[in-house]
Amino acid sequence: MANSRKAAVGFIFITLLIDTIGFGLIIPVFPHLIQQLVHGTLSQASIWSGWLTFAYAVMQFVCAPIIGNLSDKYGRRPVLLLSLLAFGLDYILLSFAPTIWWLFAGRIIAGITGASFTTAAAYIADISTNENRAQNFGTVGAAFGLGFIIGPAIGGLLGEFNPRMPFMVAAGLTLLNFAYGYFVLPESLSKENRRPFSWSRANPLGSLMQLKTYQGVGGLIIALVFVYIAAHSVQSTWTFINIAKFNWSEGLIGASLAIVGLLIAVVQGGLIRFINPWLGNERSIYMGLGLYALGLFLFAFATQSWMMFVFLVPYCLGGIAGPALQAVITEHVPANEQGELQGALTSLMSVTMIVGPLLMNNLFSWFTAKSAPIHFPGAPFLAGGIFMLISAAIAAQSMKRDAFVNRGRKD
């Protein structure tokens, strides 16, 4: 049984790795592609980028709980494969986009079926025990990190020749990933742990309301909301800010994201396996959120290009918080509701994707426009650091009130 679970973790790792490489390929070229399509400035392109993420997030908010509930009824494998196929078709559409509205169409399609990470998280929950749950969620993070080493680095190089070429390569890799999953990926959810599909539990508001039924994790879920919003200070504006402040090229953007991926892989694929058992989940959450905040504050006030690379170290070390938060939350949910939980959390993340990019991209646009009272491109990073500190305070209060024990520590 143990060997079977290790093999299953390996399968999902490879699937997510290829998926993330495809996603990472397109990031370095997105700002300049949007600029070309809207014939505007970088500041204007940032606002369009926020609205593109908004379109994706709204559709994911509506559809993620449906996908999560379908995976609880039919299993993880078919849902994951459908998601990969849709992403491949989305990248093909984006590669030939003649106008900005084609980008919106592609993002809407991806939002409707974009359940690869949601279903993968439920997959990991299916095959994990309480003892290795945080470590296995760290493996998901490691796949994400390695994908971001390879994807943006290649995407940055390809983008300097043709800003549409990374989309074509991403489409090919994602469809290859679909083929890999079709022939190799096993099902993780046993038939006895499946449950009937329920529309009342699959609608987005019902899915969010379902989070209230999970005892003892309400405060941590609120803390997670602030983490998700804060993360968009980097996810939504990293390329825009560094182009504005330091005139980075697509290649340098790709290199920086590759380093982010390397650090994430080291932290979540290696260090977390030692840090989490030693600190325990609670202290990992506190330390991780503190490091996230420190990294964001340093980003905000960096004055030289090289500083952004150095300050990635404390920011990426903050990655020990995410798996610990997920581990604590999933421990309190029955096996036959893990898909529903992950669907609800994805819906919650989609709500923050509606708010986060619009907030952060508009902050960047406001503080980089010609009419700005102060020229401060790093404003989104400063806001993100404040949100991380708020998240840490809420998590601390929640765990104190609900008397969580430090399950992971070995004295």
Side-chain angles (χ1 to χ4, degrees):
M1 180 65 72
N3 289 334
S4 176
R5 286 176 174 172
K6 286 182 180 179
V9 172
F11 289 141
I12 207 71
F13 175 85
I14 295 297
T15 298
L16 289 178
L17 174 63
I18 298 174
D19 195 26
T20 307
I21 290 173
F23 180 75
L25 277 165
I26 71 173
I27 295 177
V29 300
F30 225 55
H32 286 151
L33 178 61
I34 295 172
Q35 273 189 277
Q36 288 179 12
L37 293 177
V38 302
H39 307 290
T41 64
L42 187 67
S43 180
Q44 292 168 332
S46 174
I47 295 177
W48 280 102
S49 178
W51 283 110
L52 283 165
T53 307
F54 173 87
Y56 174 87
V58 168
M59 298 314 300
Q60 190 174 71
F61 171 68
V62 172
C63 297
I66 298 174
I67 297 295
N69 276 265
L70 286 173
S71 79
D72 280 341
K73 177 177 174 59
Y74 296 107
R76 318 302 183 199
R77 184 177 183 273
V79 172
L80 184 57
L81 291 178
L82 176 63
S83 173
L84 294 174
L85 180 61
F87 266 121
L89 297 176
D90 168 42
Y91 290 137
I92 292 173
L93 182 65
L94 295 180
S95 67
F96 294 102
T99 69
I100 190 69
W101 303 113
W102 279 51
L103 294 189
F104 275 100
R107 292 292 80 194
I108 288 170
I109 293 171
I112 292 171
T113 57
S116 56
F117 276 90
T118 303
T119 312
Y123 193 109
I124 290 295
D126 291 338
I127 62 175
S128 298
T129 63
N130 288 340
E131 289 74 23
N132 65 12
R133 197 175 299 272
Q135 291 91 330
N136 285 345
F137 275 115
T139 300
V140 174
F144 184 84
L146 285 174
F148 260 72
I149 296 171
I150 302 168
I154 297 174
L157 293 174
L158 293 175
E160 294 192 349
F161 294 99
N162 186 332
R164 297 177 186 269
M165 191 178 296
F167 293 93
M168 301 175 189
V169 176
L173 281 175
T174 306
L175 294 176
L176 177 65
N177 195 8
F178 167 80
Y180 168 81
Y182 183 83
F183 290 107
V184 177
L185 190 69
E187 180 55 64
S188 65
L189 185 65
S190 61
K191 290 187 177 180
E192 59 267 23
N193 282 331
R194 299 184 188 185
R195 61 174 180 82
F197 181 85
S198 170
W199 279 109
S200 64
R201 298 173 72 169
N203 75 78
L205 295 179
S207 179
L208 290 176
M209 294 299 292
Q210 186 67 19
L211 290 173
K212 294 171 61 177
T213 68
Y214 303 131
Q215 297 299 316
V217 296
L220 291 179
I221 289 173
I222 294 173
L224 208 55
V225 168
F226 281 94
V227 172
Y228 287 154
I229 294 175
H232 279 287
S233 63
V234 175
Q235 294 172 11
S236 298
T237 64
W238 178 263
T239 54
F240 290 98
I241 290 173
N242 285 305
I243 291 172
K245 289 182 70 172
F246 308 118
N247 197 30
W248 280 11
S249 66
E250 286 91 343
L252 192 55
I253 291 169
S256 72
L257 293 174
I259 292 174
V260 170
L262 176 62
L263 291 171
I264 291 174
V266 169
V267 171
Q268 299 203 11
L271 289 181
I272 197 170
R273 296 181 179 275
F274 303 99
I275 293 174
N276 182 268
W278 178 52
L279 291 176
N281 288 330
E282 185 176 341
R283 292 182 183 177
S284 294
I285 291 169
Y286 297 150
M287 181 173 289
L289 293 176
L291 287 166
Y292 269 145
L294 174 62
L296 287 166
F297 290 143
L298 292 172
F299 288 153
F301 297 101
T303 57
Q304 300 292 327
S305 184
W306 61 266
M307 293 180 179
M308 301 300 288
F309 289 88
V310 174
F311 298 158
L312 283 171
V313 175
Y315 178 78
C316 291
L317 283 172
I320 64 174
L325 271 168
Q326 284 184 299
V328 172
I329 292 171
T330 58
E331 283 175 10
H332 291 73
V333 177
N336 65 351
E337 295 181 10
Q338 290 291 339
E340 181 179 45
L341 169 67
Q342 297 302 331
L345 290 177
T346 301
S347 288
L348 193 68
M349 183 169 62
S350 297
V351 172
T352 64
M353 286 177 69
I354 294 170
V355 177
L358 289 179
L359 172 62
M360 299 304 177
N361 285 81
N362 275 279
L363 272 176
F364 170 79
S365 180
W366 173 265
F367 282 100
T368 56
K370 292 181 179 180
S371 59
I374 301 173
H375 185 75
F376 184 33
F381 293 147
L382 179 61
I386 293 171
F387 284 169
M388 287 294 183
L389 293 181
I390 293 172
S391 175
I394 293 172
Q397 182 63 28
S398 174
M399 286 186 282
K400 179 180 178 181
R401 183 179 64 249
D402 297 323
F404 278 114
V405 296
N406 195 354
R407 296 175 179 82
R409 183 167 186 173
K410 294 181 180 179
D411 294 322

